[in-house]
Amino acid sequence: MSISKILQEPTLGSIITVKGWIRSFRSNKFIAINDGSCLANLQCVVDFENEDENELKRITTGACVAVTGVLTESQGKGQSVEIIVQSFDILGDAPVEEYPLQPKKHSLEFLREIAHLRPRSKTFGAVFRIRHALSFAIHDYFNKEGFFNWHSPIITGSDAEGAGEMFRVTTLPHGTDQESSKDFFGKETHLTVSGQLEGELGAMGLGKIYTFGPTFRAENSNTTRHLAEFWMIEPEMAFYDLEMNIDLAEDFLKRTIKYVLDNCRADLEFLDKRFMDEQKTKPQNERSEQGLIEKLEFVVSNDFVRLSYNEAIEILRNCKPNKKKKFKYLINEWGADLQSEHERYLVEKHFKAPVVLFDYPANIKAFYMRLNEDEKTVRAMDILFPGIGEIVGGSQREERYDVLKQKVTDVGIPEEELWWYLETRKFGTCVHSGFGLGFERLVLFATGMGNIRDVIPFPRAPKSANF
Ligand code: 4AD
Ligand code: MG
């Protein structure tokens, strides 16, 4: 039986068997077992006087064990029930001198080096259970709202974002100059950077779809917010304009975060404490004023601030850090791309709330976004979160065939690469919109962790693809 189930519905007096990994062994008597089903350990009390000495020696941190005994009300503090052990069986030893995950505080950097064992730690157990809960809540949300889960391909022949940050997929021998016509697919192919373009094709038939898949970016960004392999959720909706798109994104974020608040209490409380301890180690001006749970509740119950790029530029141009030249990139004129320092200023200092920015200059955004009547800006939107920066990027799509075709030509994409995309504008086109949510950025926000490499089991980043 799982520990989570035992603690939820304890059947006192019954004989039960628990299997898990030993977290600690105290006074030759108390084994704390964790099986990953929940944050809590189950205390198992062994009658050491009547046990074989050699077997007792095998009860070490990290060993895998099966314990059978009577579930009893606990005499001690810190737990309500415990098992009075009748028999135990060491399923897998963990030699003390070698096992790296001892019951003491390890740094996250060290745990990253032992990513094969870190799912057994308290912090990563909590993080990965919340990651699961968010994934479940996302599928649940879209299913309830009438969306269909759509599987965009992972190997593609086009660059969806036009940013040229793609990993090649090839079976040609290493170091040859053979033409791509000789390659497996008879052309150049890559790992996808986004499932959006194929997602749009789905929406233009099924109405409302969403993808939830891995995406890959070969950008050389060694930051706490970027991965080379990350998971993205991309809904795409026929007949939605930009405003409906923003409404959906806001509701979606609130309800998935609410799900975690309602269903992951123990893990959140643990991570909240960890988050607050972490804040204390930071300089005063970088500390979060709110605790983790407080932060999540705030997002769930307050309207996101919505403002245009024009308005944002005005605020940034006149703000203190810009005037005192504290920004690395100073904001001088309209058209500047916003860096994360600017986004964070707006969210964390100016509004102290999630912010939705829309109507960006066309030339700093992707080719598929709907051109506004001013012919300078596009119907783009980014959602910025405290402590995270950009969490969602989306837009209303250019649905006019001629305008889109011209744009594709202008940015230099060969038409034969995207003929199928253009055809949806030729045949039965309609207003439509969508967005992309970076899943790990949402997990980062919901867990209060500081580095995106600590919210995915096996992170991929420049010069790092272990495990
Ligand atoms: O803003 P991006 O590049 O937008 C797209 O890919 C669109 N096709 C989405 C759409 O409209 N369907 O990426 C979307 C989100 C970002 O807001 C960010 O949360 C996340 O994906 N993201 C990353 N997350 C982790 N590591 C990276 N390297 C990321 N790049 C983007
Ligand atoms: Mg973006």
Side-chain angles (χ1 to χ4, degrees):
M1 210 193 287
S2 76
I3 293 176
S4 148
K5 199 141 206 163
I6 293 167
L7 297 179
Q8 267 166 32
E9 303 155 15
T11 48
L12 292 176
S14 64
I15 293 175
I16 54 175
T17 299
V18 170
K19 294 178 187 174
W21 294 269
I22 297 168
R23 279 272 170 81
S24 64
F25 186 36
R26 261 191 316 118
S27 315
N28 223 13
K29 192 169 179 193
F30 303 107
I31 320 175
I33 298 182
N34 187 277
D35 67 356
S37 61
C38 60
L39 186 77
N41 301 331
L42 188 61
Q43 174 157 291
C44 302
V45 188
V46 281
D47 178 8
F48 62 94
E49 278 156 354
N50 295 307
E51 289 291 348
D52 176 352
E53 187 96 9
N54 288 326
E55 282 301 296
L56 281 175
K57 279 198 189 124
R58 296 174 67 196
I59 306 179
T60 60
T61 297
C64 187
V65 68
V67 165
T68 300
V70 185
L71 190 66
T72 326
E73 209 164 311
S74 177
Q75 305 299 312
K77 268 197 273 180
Q79 64 277 320
S80 56
V81 296
E82 62 194 16
I83 291 184
I84 306 298
V85 179
Q86 293 174 337
S87 66
F88 69 89
D89 186 10
I90 300 290
L91 305 175
D93 291 282
V96 182
E97 9 10 291
E98 287 174 67
Y99 187 63
L101 201 63
Q102 292 301 324
K104 59 168 197 178
K105 199 164 162 51
H106 294 290
S107 73
L108 293 173
E109 288 76 17
F110 172 70
L111 291 171
R112 234 171 271 150
E113 286 166 21
I114 54 160
H116 57 307
L117 297 171
R118 70 178 181 170
R120 298 187 196 177
S121 72
K122 219 171 168 180
T123 298
F124 285 93
V127 167
F128 294 135
R129 277 187 297 273
I130 290 178
R131 185 179 166 105
H132 160 80
L134 282 168
S135 167
F136 175 81
I138 288 166
H139 285 293
D140 190 46
Y141 177 87
F142 285 122
N143 185 54
K144 284 189 177 130
E145 295 297 319
F147 285 67
F148 300 107
N149 188 194
W150 174 263
H151 295 108
S152 282
I154 289 167
I155 300 173
T156 70
S158 60
D159 180 358
E161 289 302 300
E165 293 166 335
M166 298 181 298
F167 290 100
R168 284 276 295 278
V169 174
T170 179
T171 53
L172 290 177
H174 202 67
T176 54
D177 292 331
Q178 290 190 62
E179 287 167 38
S180 38
S181 63
K182 302 250 166 53
D183 207 344
F184 187 89
F185 295 106
K187 61 188 244 179
E188 227 181 83
T189 49
H190 307 96
L191 292 175
T192 189
V193 293
S194 153
Q196 177 198 323
L197 302 193
E198 294 90 347
E200 285 186 49
L201 314 182
M204 301 293 263
L206 291 162
K208 296 196 285 188
I209 63 91
Y210 72 102
T211 70
F212 193 150
T215 49
F216 307 86
R217 298 204 181 169
E219 52 189 336
N220 201 5
S221 313
N222 248 315
T223 80
T224 55
R225 300 287 174 267
H226 290 86
L227 289 166
E229 175 180 304
F230 63 100
W231 290 70
M232 186 147 57
I233 295 97
E234 296 187 274
E236 194 68 34
M237 303 76 64
F239 317 119
Y240 272 51
D241 63 13
L242 187 70
E243 205 182 328
M244 294 161 80
N245 195 24
I246 297 175
D247 289 343
L248 176 79
E250 182 169 343
D251 184 54
F252 163 67
L253 285 167
K254 286 177 171 169
R255 270 171 51 193
T256 46
I257 292 169
K258 175 88 168 43
Y259 181 88
V260 172
L261 280 168
D262 291 346
N263 292 278
C264 306
R265 208 65 199 185
D267 286 327
L268 274 184
E269 277 166 10
F270 170 74
L271 290 171
D272 195 325
K273 193 170 168 301
R274 171 170 222 299
F275 180 76
M276 291 320 272
D277 290 345
E278 189 98 350
Q279 297 308 309
K280 284 180 205 145
T281 68
K282 292 184 175 181
Q284 191 82 37
N285 64 338
E286 283 172 31
R287 282 182 204 172
S288 168
E289 288 168 21
Q290 295 170 314
L292 174 62
I293 293 177
E294 214 181 339
K295 209 161 58 113
L296 302 184
E297 280 168 350
F298 181 87
V299 166
V300 166
S301 51
N302 286 282
D303 287 343
F304 295 5
V305 175
R306 299 182 186 196
L307 81 161
S308 68
Y309 170 89
N310 289 352
E311 294 166 299
I313 284 293
E314 275 317 300
I315 293 171
L316 289 168
R317 208 183 348 219
N318 298 313
C319 74
K320 241 193 199 160
N322 199 55
K323 291 193 155 159
K324 294 197 161 166
K325 301 198 167 22
K326 287 270 155 59
F327 282 148
K328 189 162 168 231
Y329 299 89
L330 295 178
I331 300 283
N332 294 315
E333 53 200 297
W334 190 92
D337 200 357
L338 300 186
Q339 305 296 327
S340 79
E341 56 181 345
H342 309 126
E343 298 177 340
R344 295 188 73 156
Y345 174 82
L346 289 171
V347 173
E348 288 157 31
K349 301 276 183 271
H350 192 84
F351 291 109
K352 297 187 193 293
V355 170
V356 189
L357 288 184
F358 59 88
D359 286 348
Y360 281 79
N363 60 352
I364 58 169
K365 288 290 181 184
F367 72 94
Y368 49 70
M369 298 186 179
R370 176 66 156 81
L371 193 62
N372 275 313
E373 307 316 316
D374 65 9
E375 306 218 329
K376 271 168 49 187
T377 58
V378 284
R379 304 244 75 193
M381 65 102 164
D382 277 1
I383 302 185
L384 317 175
F385 260 30
I388 304 289
E390 180 188 336
I391 194 163
V392 159
S395 71
Q396 184 175 320
R397 315 306 187 190
E398 183 56 77
E399 84 285 12
R400 298 165 299 180
Y401 180 75
D402 294 336
V403 181
L404 185 61
K405 194 164 171 228
Q406 187 59 51
K407 192 67 185 274
V408 166
T409 311
D410 289 350
V411 297
I413 305 174
E415 213 185 300
E416 59 277 14
E417 213 179 272
L418 283 182
W419 62 273
W420 42 273
Y421 187 68
L422 287 163
E423 277 207 350
T424 50
R425 275 60 173 181
K426 202 153 135 193
F427 307 129
T429 192
C430 69
V431 166
H432 65 289
S433 299
F435 63 83
L437 164 72
F439 186 53
E440 283 72 22
R441 297 211 181 155
L442 179 63
V443 183
L444 206 49
F445 182 72
T447 56
M449 299 294 284
N451 191 321
I452 199 161
R453 297 179 197 201
D454 295 331
V455 299
I456 186 167
F458 304 104
R460 267 79 184 101
K463 301 280 177 291
S464 162
N466 292 325
F467 309 102

